[in-house]
Amino acid sequence: MKAFIVEKYKKNGPLRMVDVAEPVVGANDVLVEIKATAVNLLDSKIRDGEFKPLLAYKPPFILGHDLAGTVIAVGSSVRHFHIGDEVYARPRDHRIGTFAQRLSVHENDVALKPKNLTWGEAASIPLVGLTAWQALVELAKLRKGQKVFIQAGSGGVGTFAIQLAKHFGAFVATTTSTKNIELVKSLGADVVIDYKTQDFETVLSGYDLVLNSQDSKTLMKSLRVLKPGGRLISISGPPDPQFATTLGL
């Protein structure tokens, strides 16, 4: 089968299409014929080697964290999926590889594709949707009435996080560019900051939660909009020891 591989860790390194072995289907796996995938910032960070301490893949390896496709084989212990099912998935770490024609995925990482979504729409959801859920619900335990600042509201994670936060009854502030102000408002944002003309640090204060997705400078500024006891969750990369030392953490 055809797949795009990373031959070595390299910043902005190219992917190369090659023939690779067919996936092995374990007892708890489903084999998916991939109809659509998505490209995420995480893919480029892994290719560049930024996550090697946490996610070490031995080159050559196949990138890709999202898929939508059709089940074409099931393992002997699979009970929830059948050949012909239309599914979407975010394969677990160390089993990624959706930049390929087929992938074997553990059945616990797979869900039936909503019928009203196209292949492309479905493939755009898993990684960013799960990221928003894990950050706001599992880690932050967001509650009704809390104030949350979600950076980059028109991005992949941001568009999900705004809607999810509003679903839980939170008050939401976000940043975006001028052209996307109406978009993030339509998603439910209560306060919209145009980062090209405004500094969020001068506008926001007393927030319960910040979802950070930008650089270290923005992370430092974000800490100053939190109320005492507030929490910041960052998805833009692992913090380094210097950052922790500076803050006395």
Side-chain angles (χ1 to χ4, degrees):
M1 88 176 170
K2 299 288 187 181
F4 287 99
I5 65 167
V6 174
E7 294 186 291
K8 62 180 179 179
Y9 287 111
K10 183 180 180 181
K11 189 172 181 62
N12 298 321
L15 304 182
R16 189 163 67 91
M17 181 179 282
V18 299
D19 289 311
V20 297
E22 288 290 333
V24 175
V25 182
N28 296 298
D29 298 338
V30 297
L31 180 63
V32 181
E33 184 80 30
I34 298 173
K35 304 292 187 180
T37 184
V39 180
N40 293 280
L41 186 59
L42 178 59
D43 294 303
S44 64
K45 287 179 178 288
I46 290 176
R47 174 204 60 193
D48 295 349
E50 294 185 30
F51 279 83
K52 276 200 291 185
L54 299 175
L55 296 171
Y57 293 99
K58 184 179 179 181
F61 60 89
I62 306 169
L63 284 170
H65 293 77
D66 292 293
L67 68 80
T70 304
V71 175
I72 58 174
V74 298
S76 58
S77 298
V78 172
R79 296 292 179 266
H80 301 294
F81 297 96
H82 304 88
I83 293 174
D85 282 347
E86 295 184 351
V87 298
Y88 63 157
R90 190 291 203 203
R92 61 189 60 186
D93 291 336
H94 303 292
R95 291 194 62 178
I96 65 171
T98 65
F99 295 174
Q101 290 178 300
R102 290 172 287 281
L103 185 67
S104 180
V105 188
H106 194 288
E107 70 167 328
N108 289 349
D109 300 338
V110 178
L112 293 173
K113 181 182 78 69
K115 294 185 181 299
N116 63 329
L117 295 184
T118 66
W119 293 118
E121 289 169 343
S124 74
I125 292 173
L127 180 65
V128 294
L130 287 170
T131 299
W133 180 272
Q134 289 165 350
L136 298 183
V137 180
E138 295 182 3
L139 290 176
K141 295 178 171 54
L142 189 65
R143 303 187 305 276
K144 182 177 181 179
Q146 287 189 313
K147 295 169 66 177
V148 56
F149 171 40
I150 297 167
Q151 297 167 7
S154 59
V157 174
T159 54
F160 272 87
I162 291 172
Q163 295 176 84
L164 189 59
K166 293 303 295 183
H167 174 74
F168 280 91
F171 180 90
V172 177
T174 193
T175 50
T176 192
S177 62
T178 308
K179 66 179 181 179
N180 288 318
I181 289 176
E182 292 306 314
L183 168 64
V184 296
K185 284 183 177 179
S186 72
L187 297 175
D190 299 289
V191 175
V192 180
I193 298 167
D194 184 343
Y195 68 81
K196 293 188 175 181
T197 61
Q198 296 174 286
D199 184 349
F200 70 81
E201 186 184 8
T202 66
V203 179
L204 307 178
S205 63
Y207 273 68
D208 298 283
L209 173 67
V210 173
L211 180 57
N212 177 74
S213 58
Q214 306 302 302
D215 56 21
S216 57
K217 180 181 177 181
T218 304
L219 189 152
M220 291 294 294
K221 291 170 59 176
S222 298
L223 291 171
R224 294 192 281 270
V225 311
L226 288 170
K227 72 178 187 181
R231 304 183 71 184
L232 182 145
I233 297 175
S234 181
I235 60 171
S236 60
D240 57 33
Q242 182 181 357
F243 176 82
T245 301
T246 300
L247 295 182
L249 301 176

